[in-house]
Amino acid sequence: MKPADVVLFFDRMAAADPDPRGELVYINPYTLLVAVVLSAQATDAGVNKATGPLFKVADTPTKMLQLGEKRLRGYLRSIGLFNTKAKNVIRLSQMLMQEFGGEVPAERDKLQSLPGVGRKTANVVLNIAFRHPTMAVDTHIFRVCNRTVLAPGATPEAVERKLEKVVPTQRKLNAHHWLILHGRYICKARKPDCPVCIVRDLCGYKAKTKPTEAS
C-alpha cells in the first residue's frame, strides 16, 4: 500500500471511530492482564462472562492468591483451556507479588517473563493500560494486514515490525484497536464484508465480495 494510502486508511478509521476501545472488560492493569491471558483461543465475550463474577472477588494479585487455583477454576470453566489458564493466573499473580511489588510492570520484557504472557499479550497490556503505541498482532490484524496489503508479513512479528514503520505516528496508539475491530466485524476470515468497508478502494485484496456474496 502506498504511503499516502496508508495515511488515508487510518484517517478514515479515525473519522469513523475516534476513540476505539478493546472489548475486554477490566478494572485495573492487573485485571486487564488476567483478561488478556484468558482470551487466548477464546472470545472476548466469553472471557467477559467469566471475569464479571471473578473480578468482583479477585481484582488484585493478593485476592487472586487468596481465592486459590481450585476456586479459580470454577470461575473459568466456560473458557477453553481453563485448567492451564488458571495455573498461569495463579503463577503470574505470585510473580507479581514476589518480583514486582504486586504491580503490573510497564516493560515488555518484564511482562513476557510472566506465565502465559507472550508478546501479543504484553503489547495489549502496554497499549491499553499504559498508553504505549504498541502493535498487538492477533489473528484479525494478521489477516487484515496481509489481505489489504497494508503491512504484509509471514509472521505476526513481521507484521508488527511493518506496522511500526508504516502507521503514521499520530495514529499508532489506536491502530491496533481499529485493525482488530475491522477484522472482527468487516474484514472477516471467511467472507469479508467489502461492500460496507470504508477502505475498500485502498485495499489490495483482489477477490472483493459483492453485496450478494458478503455475509
Side-chain angles (χ1 to χ4, degrees):
M1 193 177 290
K2 297 177 181 177
D5 288 344
V6 175
V7 171
L8 188 54
F9 183 103
F10 285 104
D11 283 350
R12 290 184 189 173
M13 292 286 178
D17 189 1
D19 189 25
R21 300 295 179 95
E23 295 183 323
L24 288 172
V25 177
Y26 66 98
I27 300 166
N28 52 36
Y30 172 71
T31 54
L32 173 65
L33 173 62
V34 171
V36 180
V37 168
L38 296 177
S39 71
Q41 300 182 48
T43 65
D44 287 359
V47 171
N48 290 338
K49 185 176 180 181
T51 56
L54 172 63
F55 291 158
K56 289 180 181 179
V57 298
D59 61 356
T60 67
T62 299
K63 291 179 183 178
M64 192 67 74
L65 293 174
Q66 290 171 346
L67 182 69
E69 184 180 330
K70 182 177 180 180
R71 290 169 63 196
L72 175 58
R73 287 199 300 267
Y75 285 93
L76 305 183
R77 288 189 182 279
S78 61
I79 300 176
L81 306 174
F82 71 91
N83 282 315
T84 298
K85 291 176 180 179
K87 289 180 184 297
N88 284 336
V89 168
I90 293 298
R91 288 170 58 215
L92 72 82
S93 299
Q94 291 170 335
M95 282 189 65
L96 288 175
M97 294 302 298
Q98 293 168 357
E99 300 184 23
F100 302 109
E103 300 294 327
V104 176
E107 294 84 31
R108 183 187 284 121
D109 59 340
K110 292 179 180 178
L111 282 167
Q112 286 189 250
S113 73
L114 299 170
V117 179
R119 187 178 182 88
K120 184 196 75 173
T121 295
N123 280 342
V124 171
V125 173
L126 290 172
N127 180 272
I128 297 176
F130 301 108
R131 307 291 288 173
H132 292 191
T134 51
M135 303 291 169
V137 179
D138 70 348
T139 55
H140 295 299
I141 292 183
F142 186 78
R143 178 177 68 255
V144 168
C145 287
N146 278 287
R147 182 183 275 167
T148 63
V149 201
L150 169 68
T155 66
E157 283 200 38
V159 170
E160 179 185 338
R161 289 193 297 270
K162 189 69 175 290
L163 283 171
E164 288 173 345
K165 291 180 180 179
V166 304
V167 177
T169 300
Q170 71 272 25
R171 303 299 187 196
K172 284 185 176 179
L173 183 62
N174 291 324
H176 103 268
H177 287 303
W178 286 318
L179 293 170
I180 287 173
L181 294 171
H182 191 65
R184 187 171 289 166
Y185 297 111
I186 303 297
C187 198
K188 295 172 284 190
R190 290 188 63 191
K191 287 186 179 180
D193 204 353
C194 300
V196 301
C197 176
I198 61 174
V199 292
R200 60 187 175 277
D201 58 316
L202 308 174
C203 172
Y205 185 51
K206 297 185 182 302
K208 291 185 177 70
T209 59
K210 298 177 181 179
T212 55
E213 299 173 334
S215 58

